[in-house]
Amino acid sequence: MRRSGCQTYAQIIVDILNEQVDKVFTYAVPEGMELTSGMRVLVPFGPRRVVGMVIGLTEETDVPRERLRSVLSALDDMPVVLPELMQLAAYLRTACHSTMAAALRCILPYQVRSGRVRPLSRLAVRLTQEAETALGRCARSKKQQELIERIAPWPEGVRIGHIEMEGALQAARALEKKGLAEVFPMEVRRTPYANLEGELDAYALTDAQQAAVARIRDSLDGEMQSFLLHGVTGSGKTEVYLHAVRECLLRGKGAILLVPEISLTPQMVGWFRARFGDHAAVLHSGLSQGEKYDEWRRVREGEARVVIGARSAVFAPVESLGLIILDEEHEQTYQSETHPCYDAREVARERCRLQRATLVLGSATPSIDTYARTLRGHNVLLEMRQRVAGRPLPEVEIVDMRQEIILGNRSMFSRALHAAIEETLLAGQQVVLFHNRRGHSSFVKCRACGYTVHCPHCDVTMTYHAVDDTLKCHYCGAEMALPRACPQCASPYIRKFGVGTQQVEEKLKQEFPAVTVVRMDIDTTKGKDEMVKLLTSFRKGEAQVLIGTQMIAKGHDFPNVTLVGVIAADMTLNLPDYRSEERTFQLLTQVEGRAGRGVHPGRVIVQTYEPEHYAIAMAATQDYRAFYEQEIMRRRRRLYPPYTIMMRILFSGKEASDVRAAAELMEMEINDWFTRDKRRRDQVIQVHAMEAPLGRIRDEYRYQVFIKMYAKGSEEALDYIEGAAEGAQAKAVRIEAEINPASFM
Ligand code: ADP
Ligand code: ZN
Ligand code: ZN
């Protein structure tokens, strides 16, 4: 149906997180209201007024006039969502089975959603045409004279914020009154990057670094490509990133560097700022609301064209994006755990495709998945096999703890580690001790009857914390006093088992009474600043030993650390997860990589009860390729991803019987669907309902349906299962479907 006149209609997504309204609504745009795609508006919706997002404008509509309502007002003067990000929202909606409203919320940070975004202009000042002739006649203050001198060379105007002079605005206003100057909103212009040279030339790049930069440069100039930069720890990947970013800026394009949240230390941000000055913006969860908003604005307005940030910075509103880099691509933090559950790696890949940008994934220990894809030709492989400046990889010694016990050493430190700590401390160098379990002891057990203290609300053992002499649940935070006698048999032989970081610290201090220690785990780093404080103090040499969980494994550069000790390398090996081997290898390789990054060579001692395990042995030689070959063979043989897809539908609720019944019903339905034709029967490997390994958390019972199928051709089945899980939602039982879930617990 054609409409007369120049009436326009806006296609609008309303900001309501409900499947039923996950569609495009049409509204009339009142005369005189200027709207473009990507702006937020206020619209009537039923009896309410809600916020909506304009996703398109048309001249005609099929909606009958009597049903058509009008936009009430515009909330922005400029689009807050760039066209490419609008497309990315549509991608998120499909890929994460979310609504468009939820996808848009993901893209637009809360701080921005709650504020108003103004156009791309800033107040500027320039001298008027008349100024030259009038200057002789007009009296003016010292400030005003100073301002005139500063702006005289720039006839097109200077942004007031860029004039380094106090009271510049007042002076400009005063000159304006006298007709000498003009204050006006000037469109923000891109600043040229002429001053970037020099700042980057701190090092001569190694051949491998040069080669990598050259390949990325070619991609920036030509057809967009994606890369996997696989470089051993200490091979200088950061320097490659910085050069790639600079190349990108020199071509007039913007760049995003994603890092795991934990790497966003002031040190990293400092380098970035030093290299790119005001062109760099930082986006991470440690910023205040105001800071986040300001940084986002600087990016949106084109003032900052390089963004460094954690996962969600993949949505940063960088226009004409040329490059996305993902450092430590194997990190699990790139997977969002809140809805929509996106994987930043996948979003980055899609965004690069949409904006014709180059993608660089970097790691010393790429995920098996990414490496397998790279070998299949999805990424170009760039390798850096050596450390910079001829520094050797650390020398790794594996100590068999079974032998220690046989020889009568009951300490948690082997003789080798004890001696090495002693030597290192004597030489005035620093030690890192890695132990991936926090707390003091992981469980408390009665020696007489075998009773173990469990959380009253969850199916996990309570962890002993020596600091406040309490038992804590690491899942729900419940606390209780340490029982003095067994609650079951009243025997006094109740003992602590399982070593945590607190106990490592305690025992270290027993064996080396004068030692100074910094401990880093969730318990000592509750505030954002705590972590930074501890790291800085250790880097400055204020403590001799750093003890920590996986928090200390990645990214940090401690030049004076020459000894790394791993207390129990097999600890992460025996978790019920097909990725345990991969995670153990990655963790060990990264931890070992902390040694010998300065001028002194490094040494690593790995204690384990399974010295022959390939993940441990190959991490010791830092041989990623050998590990990959072995691991991928195991995955193929055992039918694990990437050959298959594992899916789990988690059911949780207060009534165990409801939860169980819902899971069993779902198991039947899915089984039924899979047996309906031969193709489906060939697709599926297993459908199985069972209690989750963690059968109860926070008093909620947990059941799961576990599904395994061949990866090839699985789209239809995945769609069906996700639909079925969605459809089965009930009041008493919560249902969550996850593909290759981050945890199987
Ligand atoms: P990676 O991330 O690959 O483990 P880094 O980027 O942290 O390695 O670099 C390791 C160390 O080497 C850093 O201290 C860095 O400043 C230094 N470095 C990087 N490139 C060079 C180079 N070309 N010559 C000398 N030192 C370098
Ligand atoms: Zn007992
Ligand atoms: Zn609990």
Side-chain angles (χ1 to χ4, degrees):
M1 183 192 318
R2 258 208 105 76
R3 303 228 156 240
S4 59
C6 49
Q7 169 97 342
T8 45
Y9 304 95
Q11 257 81 59
I12 286 173
I13 301 284
V14 291
D15 186 26
I16 300 174
L17 300 183
N18 184 326
E19 297 262 322
Q20 254 110 60
V21 298
D22 185 29
K23 50 189 158 215
V24 180
F25 294 93
T26 302
Y27 285 85
V29 181
E31 200 133 337
M33 187 183 287
E34 296 276 346
L35 288 184
T36 43
S37 267
M39 279 188 190
R40 292 166 313 144
V41 289
L42 207 58
V43 292
F45 196 77
R48 292 190 286 163
R49 300 168 147 216
V50 299
V51 173
M53 171 71 67
V54 180
I55 64 159
L57 291 154
T58 52
E59 298 280 300
E60 37 194 281
T61 181
D62 294 336
V63 180
R65 188 178 284 273
E66 60 281 5
R67 288 189 44 204
L68 201 64
R69 302 174 82 179
S70 294
V71 174
L72 299 170
S73 60
L75 294 177
D76 301 308
D77 302 334
M78 63 184 281
V80 285
V81 177
L82 299 173
E84 300 87 6
L85 289 175
M86 199 69 90
Q87 285 173 275
L88 204 61
Y91 159 82
L92 271 188
R93 176 173 180 263
T94 333
C96 306
H97 298 267
S98 92
T99 60
M100 192 66 178
L104 285 168
R105 279 196 189 183
C106 209
I107 282 175
L108 208 53
Y110 166 76
Q111 294 75 17
V112 179
R113 277 189 273 129
S114 52
R116 197 181 172 94
V117 179
R118 295 189 304 267
L120 292 138
S121 62
R122 285 280 195 268
L123 276 190
V125 57
R126 66 182 162 215
L127 293 179
T128 54
Q129 299 270 310
E130 302 78 52
E132 206 165 319
T133 50
L135 270 179
R137 292 182 270 109
C138 273
R140 51 202 183 265
S141 70
K142 251 173 85 190
K143 278 262 171 196
Q144 291 163 17
Q145 180 57 35
E146 188 188 340
L147 184 69
I148 290 174
E149 279 161 25
R150 280 175 183 255
I151 64 178
W154 314 100
E156 70 279 15
V158 182
R159 276 167 63 178
I160 303 230
H162 285 179
I163 303 172
E164 284 177 9
M165 170 183 149
E166 237 172 85
L169 182 62
Q170 289 93 310
R173 292 279 187 214
L175 289 175
E176 190 176 37
K177 283 222 183 76
K178 295 175 185 168
L180 297 178
E182 180 191 359
V183 178
F184 65 103
M186 182 167 79
E187 194 165 317
V188 174
R189 277 177 307 147
R190 320 272 182 245
T191 356
Y193 297 93
N195 59 346
L196 283 178
E197 209 77 37
E199 294 170 8
L200 275 166
D201 293 336
Y203 307 107
L205 291 188
T206 64
D207 290 348
Q209 284 173 323
Q210 255 171 32
V213 173
R215 297 294 295 276
I216 297 170
R217 197 190 303 124
D218 288 346
S219 167
L220 291 170
D221 284 334
E223 206 174 311
M224 155 254 172
Q225 284 182 299
S226 59
F227 298 95
L228 171 62
L229 176 62
H230 177 212
V232 297
T233 56
S235 58
K237 291 186 286 296
T238 313
E239 206 57 37
V240 172
Y241 302 153
L242 294 172
H243 275 78
V245 168
R246 183 182 63 157
E247 294 292 341
C248 185
L249 292 180
L250 289 171
R251 284 158 178 75
K253 295 188 166 183
I256 298 175
L257 171 61
L258 298 179
V259 294
E261 180 85 42
I262 204 88
S263 310
L264 275 170
T265 56
Q267 191 195 23
M268 180 86 162
V269 172
W271 282 337
F272 226 71
R273 287 244 197 259
R275 297 282 175 99
F276 301 113
D278 288 340
H279 302 305
V282 185
L283 295 174
H284 66 97
S285 61
L287 298 178
S288 72
Q289 303 278 329
E291 283 171 333
K292 267 188 206 161
Y293 182 66
D294 288 351
E295 286 294 81
W296 187 90
R297 280 278 300 274
R298 291 205 311 120
V299 178
R300 176 63 189 91
E301 301 188 356
E303 232 175 89
R305 312 207 52 210
V306 194
V307 175
I308 173 170
R311 181 174 69 213
S312 62
V314 73
F315 300 115
V318 179
E319 247 172 313
S320 61
L321 182 73
L323 176 67
I324 300 183
I325 300 171
L326 257 121
D327 189 25
E328 312 279 2
E329 75 76 36
H330 61 277
E331 283 293 329
Q332 279 161 261
T333 51
Y334 287 119
Q335 175 74 50
S336 166
E337 277 160 11
T338 50
H339 196 74
C341 302
Y342 66 89
D343 182 334
R345 280 165 293 222
E346 295 307 314
V347 177
R349 185 176 294 278
E350 177 64 13
R351 188 164 180 193
C352 284
R353 197 183 65 78
L354 288 168
Q355 293 188 270
R356 307 180 59 71
T358 297
L359 178 67
V360 178
L361 306 173
S363 176
T365 52
S367 62
I368 293 290
D369 218 37
T370 298
Y371 204 79
R373 286 215 237 174
T374 304
L375 294 185
R376 286 205 308 269
H378 293 278
N379 303 305
V380 176
L381 182 62
L382 303 173
E383 287 183 308
M384 302 203 292
R385 294 161 189 265
Q386 257 122 37
R387 285 190 161 182
V388 298
R391 284 172 207 155
L393 278 168
E395 201 183 291
V396 181
E397 182 185 338
I398 296 183
V399 176
D400 185 347
M401 290 306 273
R402 294 169 304 196
Q403 287 301 317
E404 294 290 314
I405 294 192
I406 291 169
L407 295 174
N409 176 15
R410 301 206 148 263
S411 155
M412 72 170 73
F413 306 108
S414 58
R415 290 156 305 149
L417 183 55
H418 185 101
I421 294 174
E422 197 154 43
E423 274 165 34
T424 310
L425 296 182
L426 277 175
Q429 291 159 359
Q430 290 176 299
V431 179
V432 165
L433 291 180
F434 172 75
H435 188 64
N436 206 18
R437 182 181 284 151
R438 68 191 178 100
H440 181 276
S441 315
S442 51
F443 58 100
V444 172
K445 199 181 181 81
C446 170
R447 286 216 158 157
C449 74
Y451 172 83
T452 311
V453 183
H454 276 75
C455 173
H457 312 286
C458 314
D459 277 352
V460 291
T461 54
M462 297 291 275
T463 302
Y464 177 65
H465 284 243
V467 196
D468 38 12
D469 194 31
T470 49
L471 292 174
K472 293 186 188 173
C473 170
H474 285 184
Y475 280 87
C476 75
E479 293 186 19
M480 62 167 84
L482 178 68
R484 297 297 154 197
C486 173
Q488 188 165 281
C489 75
S491 137
Y493 298 112
I494 186 140
R495 292 282 182 272
K496 308 181 203 93
F497 293 88
V499 172
T501 44
Q502 292 173 9
Q503 201 176 343
V504 176
E505 180 176 2
E506 186 183 294
K507 294 284 154 62
L508 182 76
K509 283 177 172 164
Q510 277 168 17
E511 296 195 20
F512 301 91
V515 76
T516 46
V517 179
V518 165
R519 200 183 86 230
M520 250 183 82
D521 50 39
I522 305 180
D523 301 308
T524 60
T525 55
K526 285 268 153 65
K528 195 88 192 167
D529 299 342
E530 287 307 308
M531 187 176 90
V532 172
K533 242 192 266 162
L534 294 179
L535 284 172
T536 316
S537 112
F538 184 65
R539 189 173 291 114
K540 280 203 260 169
E542 285 163 18
Q544 296 165 296
V545 180
L546 172 67
I547 298 175
T549 55
Q550 56 182 343
M551 228 179 236
I552 63 168
K554 47 202 103 143
H556 310 298
D557 206 11
F558 304 116
N560 200 32
V561 169
T562 53
L563 173 66
V564 168
V566 177
I567 305 294
D570 31 273
M571 202 156 80
T572 47
L573 213 46
N574 302 311
L575 300 173
D577 193 316
Y578 73 93
R579 287 158 301 200
S580 298
E581 284 78 3
E582 178 179 357
R583 296 213 176 121
T584 301
F585 176 84
Q586 284 166 346
L587 212 46
L588 287 178
T589 309
Q590 299 282 347
V591 177
E592 290 163 6
R594 296 311 108 208
R597 295 171 69 90
V599 283
H600 307 292
R603 179 172 175 201
V604 181
I605 294 179
V606 174
Q607 304 187 152
T608 175
Y609 290 92
E610 293 179 62
E612 57 290 320
H613 194 288
Y614 68 99
I616 292 172
M618 282 159 181
T621 51
Q622 303 248 323
D623 192 346
Y624 177 83
R625 191 58 188 250
F627 171 75
Y628 172 81
E629 300 293 351
Q630 185 113 3
E631 177 62 11
I632 200 81
M633 241 163 55
R634 184 184 72 95
R635 300 255 181 119
R636 189 201 300 264
R637 210 170 45 235
R638 306 282 299 273
L639 294 176
Y640 287 136
Y643 298 101
T644 58
I645 286 185
M646 309 241 227
M647 211 172 161
R648 117 155 144 173
I649 313 176
L650 185 68
F651 299 75
S652 51
K654 296 275 177 217
E655 286 298 330
S657 54
D658 290 352
V659 175
R660 183 192 178 130
E664 283 171 353
L665 185 67
M666 178 69 65
E667 176 193 25
M668 247 159 54
E669 267 178 40
I670 294 176
N671 257 326
D672 190 45
W673 188 87
F674 271 120
T675 44
R676 248 174 259 162
D677 66 49
K678 169 153 179 5
R679 203 168 44 84
R680 289 181 190 173
R681 278 196 296 276
D682 289 346
Q683 185 82 48
V684 71
I685 300 167
Q686 183 189 18
V687 180
H688 189 44
M690 63 192 137
E691 193 180 5
L694 261 169
R696 193 173 49 128
I697 298 182
R698 290 189 179 84
D699 286 325
E700 290 214 334
Y701 293 89
R702 303 165 86 240
Y703 250 77
Q704 62 185 20
V705 174
F706 183 79
I707 304 139
K708 194 158 145 181
M709 66 184 104
Y710 291 100
K712 223 172 146 214
S714 59
E715 293 78 16
E716 190 198 354
L718 292 179
D719 274 352
Y720 159 73
I721 296 168
E722 275 174 325
E726 204 67 61
Q729 291 294 350
K731 258 213 188 78
V733 182
R734 208 175 44 255
I735 305 177
E736 289 161 85
E738 259 185 298
I739 298 171
N740 293 337
S743 155
F744 285 99
M745 302 300 282

